[in-house]
Structures are given as structure tokens and as C-alpha cells.
Amino acid sequence: MKKLGLVILLITLTISFSCKDNKKETEVDTEMEMEDTTPAESTVSQELMVKLEPKSDSQVSGSVFFKEENGMVTMTAMMSGLTEGTHAIHIHEKADCSAADGTSTGGHWNPTGQPHGKWGSEEGYHKGDIGNFEANADGKGAITLVTNEWCIGCGDATKDIVGKAIIVHDGTDDFVTQPTGAAGGRVSCGGIIQ
Ligand SMILES: [Cu+2]
Ligand SMILES: [Zn+2]
């Protein structure tokens, strides 16, 4: 009986000590994570993530990641719930996805007064003319764009994507029809909010 009591005591002690150890490790981890983020914030690097929500009775959702480093912005957009085939994706004027058809975001973001067109075209293009991407048979599609013509929260009206919206379209951008590219309805929307 005495022996059993000692064993229980030992087990209790072991548990309480290991609990203490775990707590200590957690505290140390948290401190290290906090230290890690401090230098990142003090550099020019910026990051933000935009959630895309279905519009116009679609099933299209997704995530768009933006990262700015040394004056270059990398956008990676990943969508699902699409119809198979080619779809347009643009930046539109306002971060307001309240309308059921996404029209509350306004037209294409065009701060430099250019015609609608293919990104990089000599004939001109909107700063929001990201272009087209392919959705596969599973309804999934992705597109990446790297550019120095955007910034994240720099305040330059010709470059700053904050306060705008990402729109995914049901159809394809023909890069010719003004000012929309005749890309069809707006099936997914996400406000770019810092
Ligand atoms: Cu659009
Ligand atoms: Zn456009």
C-alpha cells in the first residue's frame, strides 16, 4: 500500500514537472516569434491577403496573396468553383463587394487614363488589367503576376492597389472591347484592404 502511494506521488510529480516544462517552452516560442516579426516590419516588405467571395450566384471563391519587396509586387491568385475554361481577372476601382453582381466595385482600375488592353501592351492597358487564366476540369485555376507598376499602401494613386477590388469574370477578356474586354459577369469579388 505504501509502495503504491509512492508510485502515485512520483507520477503526479512527473506530470506536474512536465507540464511546467511545456509551459516554459511555449512562452519561449512566443517570444521568439515576436522577435522574428519585428525586423520584417521595419523593412519595405509588405504583404496582404484578399479573400474572394462568390458573386452572381456562382460558387467561385479563392485567395489572392500580394507581397511587395524591393519595389516589386508579386500577386498570386488561386480560385476554385469555376467553369472549365478561360476566365478574366481584373483589379476594379472600389473595395466594395456589397452588390450581388459585384458591380459596386465600379469599372477597371485605370488611374493613368489608358485604354483597356493586354498587360504590357504598347497600345496601353489599365493598371487593373491582370488578364486571363485557365480553370481546369475540377474548376480550379491560378495566376501569378510580378510587377513594379503596383505598390501596397504607398499612397501613390497611380500605383496603390489598397482600396481597390479583385474581380473574377465568367468569361474571357478579349483585350480589345472598351473599356471592359467583354469578359462577362462578375463571379467572384474581394476587396483589397490593408
Ligand atoms: Cu473586370
Ligand atoms: Zn481594363
Side-chain angles (χ1 to χ4, degrees), residues 89-127:
I89 178 169
H90 303 131
I91 298 178
H92 284 235
E93 293 170 308
K94 288 170 278 180
D96 177 6
C97 293
S98 59
D101 60 0
T103 50
S104 46
T105 55
H108 293 189
W109 177 45
N110 182 23
T112 50
Q114 293 291 304
H116 175 73
K118 194 178 193 320
W119 186 267
S121 164
E122 281 182 18
E123 284 93 68
Y125 54 98
H126 300 149
K127 287 286 172 106

Side-chain angles (χ1 to χ4, degrees), residues 9-168:
L9 180 69
L10 273 173
I11 290 170
T12 314
L13 277 173
T14 312
I15 289 169
S16 65
F17 269 111
S18 49
C19 280
K20 242 184 198 168
D21 280 354
N22 282 345
K23 207 183 169 195
K24 227 176 192 175
E25 273 169 32
T26 312
E27 276 167 13
V28 169
D29 281 351
T30 313
E31 272 168 31
M32 278 170 73
E33 272 168 29
M34 282 170 75
E35 272 170 27
D36 281 348
T37 57
T38 313
E41 278 169 0
S42 64
T43 69
V44 291
S45 162
Q46 298 278 349
E47 273 181 306
L48 63 84
M49 206 262 280
V50 175
K51 278 270 162 219
L52 299 178
E53 54 171 306
K55 286 289 160 190
S56 309
D57 295 322
S58 84
Q59 305 282 325
V60 185
S61 58
S63 299
V64 188
F65 299 92
F66 290 97
K67 186 178 181 132
E68 181 176 345
E69 254 176 336
N70 304 316
M72 296 297 279
V73 174
T74 301
M75 179 212 74
T76 308
M78 285 166 288
M79 283 70 57
S80 62
L82 292 151
T83 54
E84 187 177 2
T86 310
H87 295 271
I89 178 169
H90 303 131
I91 298 178
H92 284 235
E93 293 170 308
K94 288 170 278 180
D96 177 6
C97 293
S98 59
D101 60 0
T103 50
S104 46
T105 55
H108 293 189
W109 177 45
N110 182 23
T112 50
Q114 293 291 304
H116 175 73
K118 194 178 193 320
W119 186 267
S121 164
E122 281 182 18
E123 284 93 68
Y125 54 98
H126 300 149
K127 287 286 172 106
D129 289 345
I130 299 169
N132 291 317
F133 67 95
E134 297 297 319
N136 65 16
D138 296 329
K140 290 185 175 142
I143 182 170
T144 298
L145 181 70
V146 182
T147 181
N148 62 2
E149 296 186 43
W150 294 342
C151 75
I152 302 172
C154 68
D156 179 343
T158 65
K159 295 178 79 175
D160 200 342
I161 60 170
V162 173
K164 314 299 180 291
I166 297 283
I167 288 284
V168 178

